[in-house]
Every structure is written in C-alpha cells, then in structure tokens.
Amino acid sequence: MMACPNTKDFSAWINLMPGTEPKLIVTGRVETNSGSLQPHLVEADPQGINPKILLLNLTIVDSGGIGTADINYRDTRFEKPAVKDQYTDVEVIFEGKSCVSMKVSEAH
C-alpha cells in the first residue's frame, strides 16, 4: 500500500448562500509528479458507520497525453447536494488509508 500523497489547503463547507442550492464543497491540493496526473475525489462506497462523516476516496488519475514532469500541488474539488448540519466532518482516503480529516463549516 502506498503512503498518502502530500496534501495541503484542504477545506470543507456547506454552501448555504441565499439564492443557491445548498451543497457540500470540498477543495484541496495534492502533490503529483506530473502535470498529466490529476487528483480526483469521489464518494467512498460503502460509507462509514457515522452518516455525519463523509468519506471521500482520493485517486490520482492519468489524464493521458504529455504532462509537465514537475512535482507540484494540483487542485481537486468535490461537490454534492447537502443540507445544513448534514455533515460534521470529511475524511479523505487514499488506497484504504485515511490521509486528511477536516471539520465541515457553513457559508451563509
């Protein structure tokens, strides 16, 4: 099993701004060693036993083509419909290992 990739700037919030559909937004940056390798977040299946904690699987997807051969942090983003207080935490999992845990805030 590989170690977690380096990550930074992860945050999660439920957007409750007036005039928009409420949704959970998770953003962060993941280090990869090529521009063609992009971090991707998807809901884990199955989810864990606590429905207030959203589990997300992190994968590194090769977008094909020729990417820059640079080690750099690349943006990733996940969104899904959510309601106020639906989630308290988000946990990012890479190859079965928990890599990032964060509290969910709310934006009004």
Side-chain angles (χ1 to χ4, degrees), residues 12 47 55 82:
Q47 283 290 303
L55 303 180

Side-chain angles (χ1 to χ4, degrees), residues 2-5 10 14 17 27-30 37 42 57 63 65 69-70 72-73 80 82 84 94 97 100 105 107:
M2 290 179 56
C4 294
F10 264 87
I14 296 178
M17 301 293 261
T27 61
R29 296 173 60 77
V30 179
L37 298 175
V42 295
N57 281 326
S63 59
D70 64 328
N72 217 328
Y73 283 91
K80 73 171 283 186
K84 181 175 172 53
F94 182 74
K97 183 176 179 189
V100 182
S105 62

Side-chain angles (χ1 to χ4, degrees), residues 15-23 107-108:
N15 184 352
L16 299 168
M17 301 293 261
T20 63
E21 291 293 316
K23 64 184 170 187
H108 299 273

Side-chain angles (χ1 to χ4, degrees), residues 28-30 38-39 73-77:
R29 296 173 60 77
V30 179
Q38 295 295 320
Y73 283 91
R74 319 227 186 254
D75 294 329
T76 189
R77 183 179 179 100

Side-chain angles (χ1 to χ4, degrees), residues 53-64:
I53 301 174
L54 179 68
L55 303 180
L56 296 178
N57 281 326
L58 169 66
T59 56
I60 307 295
V61 178
D62 190 337
S63 59

